[in-house]
Amino acid sequence: MKRKRKIRLSIIIVLLIAVLSASGYYIYQEMYSRVQEQKAFDRIHQLVDSENGRNISLLIEQNRDCIGWGSVPDTTLDYPVMYTPDNPQKYLRLSFEEKHSFSGVPFLDARCSLKSDNLIIYGHNLKNDTMFSSLAGYAQISYSKKHPTIEFETPEENAVYSVFAAVQIDENDEWYNFVDAPNHTVFEEKIADITERALYVTDAVPEFGQQLLTLSTCYGAQKNDRLIVVAVKNN
């Protein structure tokens, strides 16, 4: 009996070592990949940044799925934005170079166009403070006061949006279906609804005819929890 117990114990120990080794290797691979992915984004920065601003046209030449660049000044949120209406989540786990990626690339909702009333852009919330992880700061109004604007640059313009509200929702929230407002009434209803549910709102209250920008990322205890930051275009 003692011999059998020793054999079972040895098997369990070997299995535990194998599981721990596999887990450690996976964690190492993920960390290494994310470091390499960030280096790739750094190279993109070097490619398009100049003393006269970003060369967005050059960026688009590198990848036709790219439509612009999104950033929050003085934060780590500073990335190209992709748009693939025929393949909505193409860049969820794909790099700018179209290779497998843990980080992906921020992308515009496939139902939107650059002329939509509400531009919805998605990005991952990662533990290494990259991609849209800094959006979590907007859960506090003090953060929005330090970072009151969001920039979205396209070949046509470098638009600046003032933060209006931060809202914790789930992935099936109706806000994600709000792309265009057919009239003043619908617009006002949507703004009233999001105001009521917001963690806070600022003085940058949207008016009908002003374009909205919504940045969305994972946030919260549940898998489908999201944090959105809604901003209004400065005309």
Side-chain angles (χ1 to χ4, degrees):
M1 293 293 292
K2 289 184 178 179
R3 179 177 176 79
K4 289 182 178 179
R5 284 199 296 270
K6 287 182 178 179
I7 292 174
R8 286 198 294 268
L9 181 60
S10 297
I11 292 173
I12 291 171
I13 291 173
V14 169
L15 289 174
L16 285 173
I17 292 173
V19 169
L20 290 172
S21 297
S23 299
Y25 178 75
Y26 177 81
I27 292 172
Y28 167 79
Q29 282 291 97
E30 183 173 348
M31 292 177 62
Y32 176 79
S33 296
R34 287 182 175 174
V35 168
Q36 296 305 309
E37 289 164 12
Q38 189 55 45
K39 288 182 178 179
F41 280 120
D42 290 341
R43 289 193 292 270
I44 293 173
H45 271 279
Q46 294 173 5
L47 175 68
V48 300
D49 288 351
S50 69
E51 294 181 357
N52 299 319
R54 297 188 188 93
N55 189 336
I56 299 298
S57 296
L58 179 60
L59 186 67
I60 293 172
E61 286 178 10
Q62 299 294 312
N63 187 330
R64 293 293 178 179
D65 291 336
C66 181
I67 57 168
W69 193 283
S71 62
V72 177
D74 302 317
T75 74
T76 57
L77 200 162
D78 194 24
Y79 294 99
V81 176
M82 316 304 282
Y83 179 55
T84 52
D86 295 329
N87 187 1
Q89 295 190 342
K90 177 178 178 179
Y91 286 92
L92 186 68
R93 294 296 180 188
L94 209 64
S95 70
F96 186 86
E97 294 80 16
E98 301 187 72
K99 299 177 182 178
H100 179 266
S101 166
F102 287 102
S103 303
V105 189
F107 58 92
L108 180 68
D109 191 297
R111 295 165 294 182
C112 296
S113 74
L114 290 178
K115 300 299 183 182
S116 294
D117 294 323
N118 184 22
L119 303 178
I120 306 172
I121 299 176
Y122 305 92
H124 289 296
N125 183 356
L126 302 178
K127 294 180 180 180
N128 61 351
D129 197 34
T130 59
M131 308 311 293
F132 277 16
S133 59
S134 61
L135 279 188
Y138 280 106
Q140 306 297 323
I141 192 171
S142 56
Y143 188 88
S144 71
K145 289 179 178 179
K146 293 179 181 178
H147 306 284
T149 59
I150 301 170
E151 297 178 5
F152 183 40
E153 186 173 357
T154 65
E156 286 72 34
E157 62 176 338
N158 185 11
V160 178
Y161 299 76
S162 294
V163 173
F164 162 60
V167 196
Q168 189 169 355
I169 60 177
D170 67 57
E171 64 180 359
N172 298 311
D173 194 274
E174 275 301 308
W175 185 262
Y176 291 116
N177 295 320
F178 175 43
V179 173
D180 287 302
N183 53 56
H184 183 280
T185 301
V186 171
F187 185 85
E188 292 297 333
E189 288 175 351
K190 291 295 184 181
I191 296 303
D193 174 66
I194 210 69
T195 297
E196 183 178 348
R197 297 188 287 135
L199 299 173
Y200 61 84
V201 295
T202 71
D203 294 332
V205 181
E207 297 181 359
F208 181 63
Q210 287 184 292
Q211 187 180 58
L212 302 175
L213 175 68
T214 298
L215 302 187
S216 173
T217 195
C218 295
Y219 180 84
Q222 303 302 317
K223 184 178 180 181
N224 66 339
D225 287 345
R226 301 289 184 270
L227 180 73
I228 59 171
V229 177
V230 182
V232 58
K233 188 175 182 179
N234 297 343
N235 294 328

